[in-house]
Amino acid sequence: MRRPAAILIPAAVALICLGTALSCRPKARVSTWVQAAPGDSLAAFSGEAGWMLTHKDVQSLISRDPMVERALDLFLQKAHINPRTETGRVTFHLVGLPQSGEEGIQQGIEHALIQLNQFKDPAALVGALSESFPQEGSLHLQGHDWPLYVILDMEAKGTKAHIRAASDEKGQVWIGSLEALNRMAAHNSLSTQPDAALAAEWISPRAPFQGFLQPEALLGGLKRNFENDFIKDLPKGVTALFWSITPGEDKDQPVRFELALAGSPEGINQVSPWLQRLVAAANAVQSAPGATPELMQEKRRVGLRCTLTSEQLKLVMEKLGQPGISYSRALGGRKA
């Protein structure tokens, strides 16, 4: 049986590592994908479209769920999107975990949402959507009814999946099953959740690669599937974890890495020593002058910023996560 959410979790876990009321402080800017992310998102991996849609390691991860791969490829083809020249962002969201007994396509597309935004020509994107796919019904989202477009319908092992796309007036497109899209519409944005907003504030909005985990919601469902000490040992009370990676322009330049966790004061106090050890390890391998790792801590959140070479970051990621992306090629430079 295929592991749950094969698209998202290997990429997210491999790359990550990973109360005062908000009204009492100035509102910090968060990434646009976070502002629109569904409130029931359990995990997400977001990256520059040109890189995400062409990098063979990411494509390999997507291909683990053939139904998702087929839906995305069909959309890109009919919407006349050239992945190599696109400047937007693609985000994969995990919006649920398979229930006991779910098989086949229920394990993948039923629990995933694909978000496309910040594309260089959003009007053309919306136009291509309406011209290339038949309209069927609507989705009530953000106080408006947005038309739904039929991407494809499929059936496997007696289970049907109805893949649709919806777009708002800003050119943001969502692709997923009807069930996943309706769940998204029923929840507020992820950024309205206090802990998620706190953690997201400490991640650079313009970082090329970003991600999110809702640790407590994932722990129960993932313990049986991952032999990962970080996931198993993460203290209770940590409810949001965001990370970002900004590679250098070539493989010899260092990589900027950010990690932020938020939750109850007790949870933050438990996880802080782990981050302190990470800072000590980063200091031990530090090679770039003037880039000392920075540890930030408040009552309900703790964060880390450091700059390491891709090889140093690879060692850190392999220690904290699990293999999934070729770090030397994925992070060793953003040029195509």
Side-chain angles (χ1 to χ4, degrees):
M1 181 178 292
R2 189 172 50 203
R3 286 180 173 179
I7 299 174
L8 295 169
I9 299 304
V13 176
L15 282 173
I16 63 169
C17 350
L18 279 138
T20 353
L22 290 176
S23 58
C24 297
R25 67 179 72 216
K27 181 68 175 179
R29 185 182 175 191
V30 300
S31 302
T32 55
W33 73 265
V34 177
Q35 295 173 18
D40 62 341
S41 179
L42 299 178
F45 174 47
S46 181
E48 293 176 334
W51 188 90
M52 290 277 284
L53 298 175
T54 59
H55 197 283
K56 67 178 184 180
D57 286 329
V58 176
Q59 290 297 309
S60 176
L61 289 169
I62 295 174
S63 67
R64 297 189 188 186
D65 272 295
M67 302 306 177
V68 176
E69 180 184 37
R70 182 180 172 189
L72 181 59
D73 287 347
L74 182 61
F75 174 80
L76 296 175
Q77 177 185 352
K78 287 196 172 184
H80 307 293
I81 295 174
N82 183 349
R84 295 190 178 277
T85 60
E86 186 49 62
T87 59
R89 179 174 289 273
V90 176
T91 305
F92 294 99
H93 290 277
L94 172 67
V95 292
L97 291 174
Q99 302 298 313
S100 176
E102 285 190 351
E103 296 182 357
I105 57 177
Q106 285 182 300
Q107 286 193 342
I109 193 65
E110 294 298 301
H111 304 284
L113 275 174
I114 304 171
Q115 175 188 8
L116 299 92
N117 66 346
Q118 300 179 27
F119 276 44
K120 58 185 178 183
D121 193 346
L125 183 64
V126 174
L129 185 63
S130 61
E131 293 171 5
S132 304
F133 302 95
Q135 183 179 342
E136 179 189 82
S138 61
L139 180 72
H140 190 75
L141 184 63
Q142 299 168 353
H144 298 83
D145 289 324
W146 306 118
L148 279 174
Y149 298 95
V150 179
I151 303 299
L152 71 151
D153 293 315
M154 60 188 71
E155 183 173 355
K157 297 182 179 180
T159 303
K160 295 181 179 180
H162 305 283
I163 313 305
R164 302 293 183 264
S167 175
D168 61 22
E169 80 282 3
K170 298 178 182 178
Q172 179 166 245
V173 174
W174 292 93
I175 302 173
S177 69
L178 273 173
E179 291 80 359
L181 287 167
N182 284 323
R183 283 201 305 270
M184 176 187 73
H187 290 79
N188 291 326
S189 166
L190 180 66
S191 62
T192 65
Q193 299 178 13
D195 288 343
L198 281 174
E201 287 177 3
W202 279 358
I203 299 300
S204 300
R206 296 184 180 275
F209 310 111
Q210 304 174 34
F212 161 75
L213 288 177
Q214 205 174 128
E216 285 201 325
L218 284 168
L219 280 175
L222 295 183
K223 278 183 177 180
R224 297 187 302 272
N225 299 306
F226 289 92
E227 296 299 327
N228 185 291
D229 290 339
F230 177 65
I231 291 292
K232 287 183 176 182
D233 298 338
L234 197 61
K236 291 183 178 180
V238 177
T239 57
L241 183 155
F242 280 85
W243 57 267
S244 77
I245 293 175
T246 303
E249 291 298 326
D250 58 61
K251 64 180 181 179
D252 297 322
Q253 292 186 344
V255 177
R256 179 175 173 82
F257 174 65
E258 299 174 313
L259 176 66
L261 302 92
S264 68
E266 295 77 16
I268 296 304
N269 285 335
Q270 291 182 62
V271 80
S272 293
W274 178 83
L275 284 182
Q276 292 167 0
R277 292 193 294 271
L278 181 57
V279 168
N283 274 317
V285 299
Q286 181 70 41
S287 60
T292 304
E294 178 184 4
L295 182 66
M296 307 160 291
Q297 184 170 356
E298 295 179 354
K299 186 176 182 180
R300 297 187 61 88
R301 63 178 170 178
V302 62
L304 166 70
R305 293 172 183 159
C306 61
T307 301
L308 303 169
T309 66
S310 57
E311 184 61 29
Q312 291 167 342
L313 185 59
K314 172 185 175 181
L315 296 175
V316 172
M317 294 301 138
E318 289 179 345
K319 172 66 175 177
L320 301 178
Q322 66 177 39
I325 294 273
S326 174
Y327 298 92
S328 60
R329 286 180 285 120
L331 304 178
R334 293 165 58 191
K335 295 181 180 178

